[in-house]
Amino acid sequence: MTNYQSAALAIKDQIIADRRTVHSFAETGFDLPQTVAFVEARLRACGLEPQRVGRAGVSCLIGSGAGKTILLRADMDALPMAEQTGLPFAAGNGNCHSCGHDCHTAMLLGAARLLKEHESELAGRVKLMFQPAEELLAGARDMLANGILEHPAADAAMGLHVAVGVEGCSEPGTITYKPGCASFSGDAVRITITGKDAHGSTPCAGVDAINIAAHIIIALQAIPAREIPCEQQAVVLVGMIRGGTSCNTNAGSCVLEASIRADSVEGRAFLKQRVAEISRATAATFRGRAEVEFVYGMPSLYNDPALCRDLSGYCQELLGGEAVIESDRMSGSEDFTIVAQKVPSVFFQLGAGSAAGGHLCGMHNPGMVVEEDVLPTGAALYAHCAVRYLQSHS
């Protein structure tokens, strides 16, 4: 069997070049025309036939005939924040790849080349999933609705995410994972507050929506502080507030946008209930009205324990036992959850820059920089795990 670590190192320059090209595009959401065109061109250069799936997804098959099918997933979208790395290939369009999706795309393109070159080793099929809009928690759902897990049906799935500046899982070249519940849920909430405009000289004639918003923000902080048991974890964060038209008028309207995270299905339901109750009741207390909208959300990611055992073992074959570590739950939410709800799945984190190594800007920080030397390892892991899974289930 091919040594995929050595094979990936042989194409290291190409993997890094691909990453830098995608990094320079830094497109967001479903609006990924340059990224998608580049991915399709690179897949065709490998002798593959990419297909569009949904609004901006790309897929292709490697291997043929009978046997199982394993899906390998990489996300492609960036974040709407101006890059502050100073890198020569930095995006200049006001967006940046500060979550590493450029790395994921490049690693899976590298794996595609390796798997195509060694297609005869496949005891089944590998389906590639290049996904848009992970940051909106919407891209995987769109690709599933358009058949990514069908024709042929996926029997298992693997996702891989770089980790930078995250304690315990970002040492370059290490792999971390958690069987079972592996992440927090994540929900985006929009709270629209309606009051009544009034001149600043007669505030009693109006209802100040900004005042209501301030009381709602303070009240929401009591949920994790006073209503969540100590052994559970939860986050309620108001990250945006918009309201008012001038400094000397009561604001007739105001909008809050918040995120909530929980470590269980029950905890998620409780947070959503209490955010709605507190917002509406607080607004009513001050003679206003609050409408609560759950814009989008994602439950906790579940790593199939049996598949974790198998795939982590394949990772150890490639990297050695000390480099593969069972870890704590991830604090963030992840769109791969939608795939994991449908087929047995495992989501790994690949260390790409520790704080001890000088990587003080972590995920979603516009100054985040990754250790590009780990990218061949990611490509090798995708390829090796896919080959070994198919061999073990043939």
Side-chain angles (χ1 to χ4, degrees):
M1 178 177 161
T2 300
N3 183 323
Y4 283 98
Q5 182 75 304
S6 297
L9 286 172
I11 60 169
K12 175 182 176 179
D13 290 347
Q14 181 66 66
I15 296 171
I16 291 176
D18 287 350
R19 180 257 168 165
R20 293 183 176 185
T21 299
V22 173
H23 187 96
S24 70
F25 296 154
E27 297 171 308
T28 61
F30 288 101
D31 188 19
L32 311 175
Q34 290 180 281
T35 305
V36 167
F38 177 76
V39 167
E40 290 177 327
R42 293 291 296 116
L43 291 172
R44 291 191 185 99
C46 296
L48 297 167
E49 299 179 4
Q51 303 292 325
R52 293 285 179 95
V53 181
R55 294 170 62 181
V58 179
S59 181
C60 67
L61 275 175
I62 309 172
S64 60
K68 299 283 188 178
T69 298
I70 184 170
L71 179 142
L72 304 178
R73 176 268 203 170
D75 36 16
M76 303 184 290
D77 57 318
L79 284 156
M81 55 176 66
E83 184 164 349
Q84 298 175 9
T85 63
L87 293 168
F89 52 90
N93 60 356
N95 303 324
C96 73
H97 269 292
S98 54
C99 199
H101 298 182
D102 54 334
C103 298
H104 309 160
T105 300
M107 292 187 299
L108 190 56
L109 285 173
R113 175 176 170 179
L114 297 175
L115 290 167
K116 183 61 179 175
E117 289 176 351
H118 302 281
E119 195 169 15
S120 61
E121 293 185 356
L122 296 178
R125 289 165 290 193
V126 180
K127 181 179 287 191
L128 307 184
M129 177 182 181
F130 291 90
Q131 180 206 306
E134 193 282 329
E135 298 296 350
L136 301 179
L137 299 179
R141 192 183 305 275
D142 178 73
M143 291 189 75
L144 261 66
N146 286 277
I148 186 62
L149 297 182
E150 305 165 11
H151 312 300
D155 298 291
M158 172 182 164
L160 188 60
H161 200 299
V162 294
V164 177
V166 182
E167 185 176 354
C169 63
S170 56
E171 189 65 31
T174 59
I175 282 288
T176 56
Y177 69 100
K178 185 181 188 306
C181 184
S183 75
F184 281 70
S185 63
D187 288 278
V189 190
R190 182 180 296 120
I191 305 168
T192 303
I193 302 160
T194 302
K196 183 181 178 182
D197 292 306
H199 193 273
S201 63
T202 56
C204 56
V207 175
D208 190 347
I210 289 180
N211 177 60
I212 293 172
H215 281 83
I216 289 175
I217 292 169
I218 297 300
L220 292 181
Q221 304 314 302
I223 301 174
R226 296 291 185 272
E227 301 189 28
I228 302 298
C230 294
E231 65 273 13
Q232 296 178 17
Q233 294 178 291
V235 173
V236 179
L237 170 68
V238 178
M240 185 180 295
I241 177 170
R242 300 187 300 274
T245 56
S246 72
C247 67
N248 68 337
T249 57
N250 268 2
S253 64
C254 189
V255 177
L256 304 177
E257 295 192 11
S259 65
I260 59 176
R261 302 179 187 274
D263 63 1
S264 68
V265 173
E266 296 78 13
R268 181 190 185 204
F270 179 77
L271 286 184
K272 294 174 75 172
Q273 174 189 334
R274 292 299 288 142
V275 166
E277 290 174 346
I278 289 172
S279 299
R280 291 167 184 154
T282 303
T285 298
F286 294 95
R287 298 185 296 121
R289 186 175 75 255
E291 297 179 7
V292 180
E293 176 187 3
F294 293 94
V295 182
Y296 59 83
M298 191 63 56
S300 300
L301 170 67
Y302 185 79
N303 277 339
D304 182 81
L307 191 62
C308 269
R309 183 179 61 250
D310 291 346
L311 265 59
S312 65
Y314 307 150
C315 292
Q316 290 178 29
E317 292 174 353
L318 195 72
L319 305 179
E322 293 184 356
V324 183
I325 306 161
E326 187 172 331
S327 67
D328 295 330
R329 181 186 293 114
M330 298 184 299
S331 59
S333 52
E334 171 54 54
D335 196 24
F336 187 65
T337 296
I338 296 297
V339 175
Q341 287 182 319
K342 300 296 183 181
V343 298
S345 300
V346 176
F347 190 74
F348 291 112
Q349 293 191 94
L350 171 64
S354 66
H359 292 265
L360 302 180
C361 295
M363 317 303 290
H364 287 215
N365 185 308
M368 188 191 81
V369 176
V370 303
E371 294 279 0
E372 291 183 317
D373 286 346
V374 309
L375 301 185
T377 297
L381 286 166
Y382 272 130
H384 181 79
C385 287
V387 171
R388 290 288 288 113
Y389 171 83
L390 295 175
Q391 288 176 344
S392 299
H393 293 81
S394 62

